[in-house]
Amino acid sequence: MKNFKDKVVVITGGATGIGKAMANRFGAESAKVIIAARREARLREAVKDLRDKGVDARYKVCDVSNLEDTKALADFAWAEFGQVDVLVNNAGIAGIPEMLLDSSRESYQRVFDVNVFGQLNGIWAFGNRMIAQGTPAMILNVISETGLFVAGPMMGGYAASKYAGRAISEVLRLEMPKHVQVGAIYPGGVQSELGGSKEMTQIGMPADEFIDIIWPQIENGEFHIVSHPWAKDYVVEDTAELTQAFDRYAPHFDGDRKYDSKWLAKQMVG
């Protein structure tokens, strides 16, 4: 999808950081933009800024961890514009840095409610309606490079949620009809308010620079949408370690196709 003129774009977590930078870019491409987040004051500020730039922008207060809230966001979007062409599942939280052995079900649950079920709620609330439109559409899930590798200790809940987001995106890509593209975006450190930390607004890649890198990938309909070069090195390291393990302990052998789960899945569904 290379032309976003008059397309309707809904962005969760759209008042600040990556979400706001994406709203700016879609707006600059003459899209109509709806941003959603929990903090109405920040939404008002963001919409005013977008409108001052000539963007047709609206907002809706929404807690993506609540399915009814997310369905209300979808109802609002269709009531305002009669269609949704792009959904950006961007809302997310960092959680509390903590050692795995000292963590709790509650701390994991909060991260999963937003990062995993927030993404799922967006898919559930918008997906079938976007399919039914029958026109080219796009669902972009903003995950994290932490969905590709674990950067360090004390981030178990966040990393687990981002690996889950990647898996959900992979499955969604397999299940969606051709006219609905799916993209998984893997940002590294980007200046934002993630985690509610002022430090996070000062370190990492500027959000506009990040958008400049991922934008051609969005236009080209890429599934894996990447930005931070060092992520490749860590993915390659993990892949090499896994490959070595398979080569050493589970190499191919005659007749091994009967244990190929991907091949078996194809037989079962078709």
Side-chain angles (χ1 to χ4, degrees):
M1 187 182 294
K2 293 184 181 293
N3 183 359
F4 293 98
K5 180 176 172 55
D6 294 328
K7 301 297 184 184
V8 178
V9 181
V10 177
I11 304 171
T12 66
T16 61
I18 289 174
K20 176 56 164 55
M22 293 190 78
N24 288 339
R25 186 56 179 264
F26 277 111
E29 299 289 330
S30 300
K32 302 171 183 177
V33 177
I34 296 174
I35 57 173
R38 290 178 296 173
R39 297 178 294 176
E40 186 167 15
R42 300 307 299 274
L43 285 167
R44 286 199 188 107
E45 292 172 6
V47 164
K48 182 182 183 306
D49 178 64
L50 288 164
R51 289 177 175 172
D52 287 346
K53 295 172 181 174
V55 181
D56 187 349
R58 322 284 169 89
Y59 78 82
K60 181 83 167 67
V61 175
C62 177
D63 178 355
V64 297
S65 69
N66 184 305
L67 178 57
E68 294 308 312
D69 251 26
T70 315
K71 287 180 177 178
L73 172 62
D75 289 341
F76 174 78
W78 263 276
E80 290 291 303
F81 293 116
Q83 66 189 69
V84 172
D85 304 291
V86 180
L87 169 66
V88 183
N89 282 315
N90 170 68
I93 61 173
I96 302 170
E98 56 187 351
M99 298 294 287
L100 185 59
L101 291 177
D102 298 327
S103 61
S104 66
R105 178 185 178 90
E106 289 73 25
S107 65
Y108 269 68
Q109 187 70 58
R110 179 55 185 156
V111 173
F112 271 58
D113 280 346
V114 178
N115 294 358
V116 179
F117 284 98
Q119 185 184 119
L120 285 169
N121 287 340
I123 292 166
W124 290 332
F126 287 80
N128 281 324
R129 294 171 80 161
M130 294 173 80
I131 291 172
Q133 286 177 164
T135 53
M138 181 181 294
I139 295 176
L140 299 172
N141 294 326
V142 179
I143 303 173
S144 167
E145 64 181 14
T146 309
L148 301 171
F149 64 91
V150 177
M154 300 186 70
M155 55 191 310
Y158 183 73
S161 74
K162 295 305 180 178
Y163 269 72
R166 177 184 171 190
I168 290 165
S169 301
E170 293 272 10
V171 172
L172 187 65
R173 172 171 63 156
L174 294 174
E175 296 179 348
M176 275 294 184
K178 289 183 178 180
H179 71 277
V180 182
Q181 297 176 3
V182 177
I185 303 175
Y186 305 105
V190 174
Q191 294 174 11
S192 70
E193 297 181 16
L194 182 67
S197 167
K198 290 184 179 179
E199 288 75 20
M200 287 295 292
T201 66
Q202 300 168 9
I203 63 174
M205 185 181 289
D208 290 341
E209 180 180 340
F210 169 74
I211 299 302
D212 286 341
I213 293 171
I214 68 168
W215 193 257
Q217 301 172 68
I218 292 173
E219 289 184 317
N220 290 336
E222 303 289 352
F223 174 71
H224 295 296
I225 299 174
V226 298
S227 57
H228 287 57
W230 275 99
K232 175 186 174 183
D233 296 72
Y234 303 131
V235 169
V236 168
E237 285 179 5
D238 284 355
T239 302
E241 186 177 7
L242 278 166
T243 299
Q244 185 179 60
F246 277 105
D247 289 344
R248 184 177 296 173
Y249 299 110
H252 281 294
F253 59 88
D254 289 342
D256 63 2
R257 174 64 80 181
K258 63 184 177 182
Y259 303 123
D260 176 358
S261 59
K262 194 168 185 178
W263 178 82
L264 288 169
K266 289 181 180 179
Q267 313 313 305
M268 293 174 65
V269 299

